[in-house]
Amino acid sequence: EHQARVAAVTRVLAEGVLSLRAPTPARRPAAAGRLDQALARGRRGPEAPAIRAIEPLARALVWREGYMRPPAGLHGRFAQCEVAAPGGPVHCRDMRLGLILFAPGCVYPAHAHPGIEESYVCLAGAVSQNEAGRLTPGALILNRSDRVHRLRAETGGPSLLAYAWLGPAPRLARAATRFVRATPCRRRDGA
């Protein structure tokens, strides 16, 4: 159902007259310097058609770290760009669509998205979610609203993912990521 909704909104965007808004250039995050390497990795995989669609736009994409104060360990190891969103380069009130680039070994901490359903498609490299196996190009990850998840990129090179967020228009306009602090483990002896 999620994929069908993403496809439907994407079709409407592609069939319509796209009005591009020039995004405000941001200081390019360090991780964005690995984009060419990630695209080269993706050209050799099953998501090569998506990579070929991204490549002509690559220089125009505005990459951000996404946070004023990123969680520990994320600074310099993560970059994201929005393609379609409320107020995004392509205005879309029904979905947020973009790309995420992880430096090798990056760990995106446990988090959830209140009121937002999220999917990722791995385009290049590999990631694991909640330490549950290795997801390679073509793999789809679906996170229902408020589901806590954590991503870890492989160490062999950068990983590139496409993401889509669906939810009520007011939630999408104020999209938020809620980071979850790890709870300390209790020792068996009760101390």
Side-chain angles (χ1 to χ4, degrees), residues 89-114:
V90 174
H91 179 73
C92 179
R93 68 180 299 271
D94 300 317
M95 177 175 65
R96 288 183 98 93
L97 185 67
L99 300 168
I100 295 176
L101 182 62
F102 291 119
C106 177
V107 175
Y108 195 96
H111 65 284
H113 307 285

Side-chain angles (χ1 to χ4, degrees), residues 42-109:
R43 262 185 243 118
R44 299 184 303 263
E47 294 299 313
I51 297 296
R52 284 194 299 274
I54 294 166
E55 284 180 312
L57 308 171
R59 299 292 163 247
L61 298 173
V62 175
W63 292 88
R64 301 178 188 276
E65 199 159 55
Y67 306 100
M68 294 294 282
R69 286 176 283 164
L74 197 56
H75 180 66
R77 307 197 40 77
F78 159 82
Q80 111 10 252
C81 73
E82 285 198 317
V83 176
V90 174
H91 179 73
C92 179
R93 68 180 299 271
D94 300 317
M95 177 175 65
R96 288 183 98 93
L97 185 67
L99 300 168
I100 295 176
L101 182 62
F102 291 119
C106 177
V107 175
Y108 195 96

